[in-house]
Amino acid sequence: MTAYIRVAEDEGEEEIEMPLEIDGSILMSTILSQFPGACGLRYRNPETNGWRALRVVEGIIHPPQEMWNDSVYFAVYPKDNKRKPDENLDTPVGKTRRLEKKCTDLIVLGLPWKTTEEEIKEYFEQFGELLMAQVKKDPKTGDSKGFGFIRFKEYDIQMKVMSQRHNIDGRWCDVKIPHSKGDMSMPNAGRKVFVGRVTEDISKEDLFTFFSSYGEVQDVFIPKPFRYFAFITFADAKVAQSLCGDDFIVKGNSVHVSNAEPKSGQGKGGQMGYGQMKGQDSQGMGWVYL
């Protein structure tokens, strides 16, 4: 007969009875099926009333030393990674991550060859505080490649800068989010993300199940032979981009989500430009990890 333990997201919240394995352990995937984003379990020590964490090894949660008892066990989330559903969002509870407005690196296209990083910084600081300004240069010659990157501190400033063209040193320049290269005719523009640090025990089904808790997943691709990364395509670009730059715990392992860039966005002379890793997804489309 299958044994169960009681698990809740937090104290005072509804409990869910979760099945144990034959050896008395419980799989991390079992917890994730009801508590997406969780990375372990904890419970109250009845003697001290302090929290005690349970040991997680290779995706398996082991019982406490005194074995399972009538305690209620609570899901543990990575710091700053727990996301409660927003009651104002018209989405199923627990299914879509609350979208956050956050700044990202912007690419500045069409820069004059003579423009320096200091001149870019001086120009864009008139709109708001900059965190970064960079001109991409040929590593051999040191010459500008005609584009660069900037990042603002405030999201509203970022949107304002993207909404207009800019005359820098007498030349009109465009500012865009790098992942799309301004070509929204690409079928997956902005909807595809790169997942790094994937381990061999993480399957397509594991990634599909985990990331479906944030939004509808249309495709998961893990290359063969195995190369420790994957691509995930969401139905909604806003969901995909809201995950970029964050770490997530999948089967007890930390994975990192980043933008994926169409391979057609290569730089001058066929170089990879600002990409760092290239691959091909299940639809045969070449992609670059930023």
Side-chain angles (χ1 to χ4, degrees):
M1 183 176 178
T2 302
Y4 292 82
I5 60 172
R6 294 182 296 156
V7 181
E9 185 167 27
D10 213 337
E11 292 181 292
E13 297 194 9
E14 184 178 6
E15 303 166 8
I16 300 177
E17 293 188 347
M18 309 289 286
L20 299 175
E21 299 301 303
I22 296 177
D23 63 359
S25 65
I26 185 169
L27 299 179
M28 195 65 229
S29 57
T30 301
I31 299 299
L32 288 170
S33 67
Q34 298 298 322
F35 302 96
C39 61
L41 292 178
R42 63 179 179 171
Y43 68 103
R44 289 282 186 188
N45 181 346
E47 296 181 358
T48 65
N49 201 38
W51 287 111
R52 276 192 178 180
L54 298 183
R55 188 160 55 98
V56 181
V57 180
E58 296 182 350
I60 299 174
I61 302 177
H62 295 269
Q65 187 174 1
E66 63 271 19
M67 299 302 293
W68 304 108
N69 51 41
D70 196 40
S71 299
V72 177
Y73 298 86
F74 300 97
V76 176
Y77 294 83
K79 186 178 180 181
D80 298 330
N81 201 37
K82 183 175 179 181
R83 294 291 186 265
K84 295 270 189 174
D86 191 330
E87 296 178 356
N88 296 322
L89 292 178
D90 296 326
T91 55
V93 174
K95 284 297 181 182
T96 302
R97 183 186 185 182
R98 185 169 165 225
L99 301 180
E100 299 176 356
K101 293 182 177 181
K102 58 182 182 180
C103 293
T104 185
D105 288 356
L106 303 177
I107 187 170
V108 184
L109 300 170
L111 284 174
W113 305 113
K114 65 178 182 178
T115 302
T116 65
E117 289 184 357
E118 188 59 35
E119 289 171 332
I120 284 186
K121 182 178 180 181
E122 182 179 348
Y123 174 83
F124 285 107
E125 278 183 337
Q126 64 180 311
F127 296 96
E129 183 177 352
L130 274 178
L131 298 179
M132 180 270 292
Q134 180 185 52
V135 173
K136 295 302 290 184
K137 299 179 180 180
D138 187 301
K140 294 182 180 180
T141 66
D143 295 334
S144 169
K145 289 187 175 183
F147 67 93
F149 294 95
I150 57 173
R151 180 189 282 256
F152 287 97
K153 183 177 181 180
E154 302 293 335
Y155 180 80
D156 290 343
I157 300 300
Q158 170 178 301
M159 298 306 295
K160 178 181 178 181
V161 169
M162 291 176 59
S163 68
Q164 62 189 75
R165 300 193 73 197
H166 303 271
N167 193 306
I168 302 175
D169 286 341
R171 186 170 180 178
W172 287 105
C173 302
D174 292 306
V175 177
K176 303 177 182 295
I177 295 177
H179 66 77
S180 67
K181 298 291 283 186
D183 183 6
M184 295 310 293
S185 63
M186 294 295 294
N188 293 326
R191 298 190 293 114
K192 185 184 293 287
V193 297
F194 177 97
V195 183
R197 303 200 297 257
V198 175
T199 57
E200 293 185 77
D201 64 330
I202 297 177
S203 66
K204 291 176 58 176
E205 291 71 24
D206 293 329
L207 292 174
F208 184 92
T209 299
F210 180 82
F211 285 102
S212 289
S213 65
Y214 298 111
E216 181 183 349
V217 174
Q218 294 187 330
D219 182 67
V220 176
F221 174 72
I222 298 178
K224 294 182 180 179
F226 184 75
R227 296 175 61 189
Y228 298 97
F229 67 86
F231 290 104
I232 299 177
T233 304
F234 289 89
D236 188 341
K238 291 183 179 179
V239 173
Q241 293 305 305
S242 75
L243 302 178
C244 290
D246 287 349
D247 295 326
F248 300 88
I249 304 298
V250 180
K251 293 190 71 174
N253 299 289
S254 175
V255 301
H256 183 75
V257 177
S258 302
N259 281 321
E261 168 68 19
K263 189 177 178 181
S264 59
Q266 291 182 355
K268 181 179 178 182
Q271 298 178 1
M272 292 305 297
Y274 48 88
Q276 295 178 332
M277 183 179 294
K278 61 182 178 180
Q280 212 173 52
D281 65 14
S282 58
Q283 300 168 338
M285 175 68 72
W287 288 83
V288 174
Y289 162 51
L290 299 179

